[in-house]
C-alpha cells in the first residue's frame, strides 16, 4: 500500500475565505487516493500540528499534496511557518537532506543535490481568483507567459531541494469572480488520475 500526506494550508479570513472549497478539494483528493489504494494522513495547519510528527509524516509519505488557497500570489503565512519549522527539523535531524549537496572538499557538486527524500512526489492543488487565461500567455502583463508551475517555483523548490519529484500543479481559477466548482472538482479528479 502506498502512503499519501495531504496538507491543507487554508487560513480563514472573514468575508474572503471560509475554507469550504479547500476542505472540499482536500476531501476529493483523499477519496481519489484511497480509491487507488493509498493510505492517507491529513494535516490541517490551521488546527495546529506537531513538528516532529510532520517530519515523520513526510518520511512516511510516498506522495505529498498541498491543498492551499493563494493569497497575494503565495500560500497563507501559516504555511510558510509550517515549512520553516518542519523542514528545519528535517534538516537538523538529517532526515530530509544532508546539506545542500556541496562539500568543502568538492564545491563542484550541484547546489540542491543533498536531498534524501528521493522517490517521493509532491503536488500543488490551488484555489485562487486569478483566471486561467493569465497563465502561459506572453501577452498577459502580470505573469508574462509564466505557467502556474513557474509562478510557484519558490514553493516546489523546497521539496525538490530535498530530493522529491514535483508533479504538475492543479488550479481552481476565478473562484471569486467566476466560480465553476463542479467543473473544478471534475478536473481535479481527472488531474489526479493523469499524474498519479
Amino acid at each position: 500500500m502506498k502512503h499519501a500526506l495531504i496538507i491543507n494550508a487554508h487560513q480563514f479570513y472573514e468575508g474572503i475565505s471560509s475554507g469550504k472549497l479547500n476542505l472540499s478539494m482536500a476531501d476529493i483528493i483523499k477519496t481519489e487516493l484511497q480509491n487507488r489504494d493509498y493510505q492517507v494522513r491529513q494535516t490541517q495547519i490551521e488546527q495546529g500540528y506537531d513538528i516532529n510528527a510532520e517530519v515523520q509524516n513526510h518520511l512516511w509519505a510516498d506522495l505529498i499534496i498541498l491543498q492551499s488557497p493563494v493569497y497575494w500570489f503565495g500560500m497563507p503565512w501559516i504555511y510558510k511557518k509550517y515549512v520553516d519549522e518542519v523542514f528545519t527539523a528535517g534538516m537538523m535531524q538529517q532526515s530530509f537532506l544532508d546539506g545542500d549537496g556541496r562539500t568543502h572538499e568538492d564545491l563542484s557538486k550541484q547546489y540542491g543535490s543533498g536531498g534524501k527524500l528521493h522517490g517521493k512526489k509532491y503536488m500543488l492543488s490551488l484555489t485562487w481568483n486569478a483566471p486561467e487565461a493569465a497563465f502561459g500567455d506572453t501577452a498577459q502583463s502580470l505573469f508574462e507567459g509564466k505557467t502556474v508551475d513557474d509562478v510557484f517555483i519558490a514553493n516546489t523548490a523546497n521539496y525538490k531541494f530535498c530530493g522529491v519529484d514535483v508533479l504538475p500543479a492543479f488550479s481552481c481559477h476565478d473562484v471569486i469572480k467566476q466560480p465553476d466548482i463542479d467543473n473544478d472538482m471534475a478536473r481535479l479528479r481527472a488531474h489526479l488520475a493523469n499524474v498519479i
Side-chain angles (χ1 to χ4, degrees):
M1 180 173 276
K2 293 185 179 180
H3 302 145
L5 172 62
I6 302 169
I7 304 166
N8 187 337
H10 178 265
Q11 185 173 3
F12 178 82
Y13 282 102
E14 185 70 44
I16 297 173
S17 184
S18 68
K20 290 179 188 173
L21 179 56
N22 281 280
L23 190 57
S24 294
M25 298 312 253
D27 286 344
I28 288 170
I29 294 167
K30 179 181 178 183
T31 299
E32 292 298 311
L33 293 176
Q34 288 174 330
N35 289 342
R36 289 170 174 76
D37 294 323
Y38 276 83
Q39 185 178 351
V40 177
R41 293 181 184 171
Q42 290 183 282
T43 299
Q44 292 189 34
I45 296 173
E46 199 169 38
Q47 294 180 2
Y49 54 90
D50 176 270
I51 295 167
N52 288 319
E54 291 305 301
V55 170
Q56 292 307 310
N57 283 340
H58 277 77
L59 296 174
W60 170 84
D62 300 300
L63 172 65
I64 301 135
I65 298 180
L66 175 66
Q67 177 61 55
S68 181
V70 178
Y71 298 153
W72 292 104
F73 311 104
M75 297 353 177
W77 68 266
I78 59 172
Y79 177 72
K80 174 63 167 125
K81 179 179 182 284
Y82 173 91
V83 167
D84 285 351
E85 292 175 340
V86 173
F87 279 65
T88 299
M91 177 184 69
M92 298 304 289
Q93 297 167 14
Q94 293 193 346
S95 58
F96 280 22
L97 65 154
D98 185 17
D100 66 18
R102 302 171 299 163
T103 64
H104 291 291
E105 297 77 29
D106 186 359
L107 293 176
S108 68
K109 291 185 179 178
Q110 278 197 21
Y111 179 73
S113 63
K116 291 184 171 182
L117 301 181
H118 298 282
K120 297 178 183 293
K121 296 182 187 315
Y122 175 70
M123 188 188 101
L124 288 171
S125 178
L126 307 170
T127 61
W128 53 345
N129 194 47
E132 186 175 6
F135 301 93
D137 180 356
T138 56
Q140 293 285 323
S141 61
L142 182 61
F143 296 124
E144 300 175 331
K146 292 176 181 67
T147 66
V148 170
D149 292 300
D150 294 333
V151 171
F152 282 93
I153 192 163
N155 175 284
T156 57
N158 296 326
Y159 282 92
K160 196 167 183 181
F161 192 75
C162 294
V164 178
D165 294 325
V166 177
L167 299 172
F170 173 81
S171 279
C172 296
H173 295 282
D174 246 344
V175 298
I176 295 172
K177 293 240 171 106
Q178 200 170 15
D180 188 4
I181 305 308
D182 289 340
N183 185 49
D184 287 339
M185 290 178 173
R187 287 187 317 99
L188 175 58
R189 288 183 182 98
H191 183 83
L192 290 168
N194 186 49
V195 300
I196 295 174

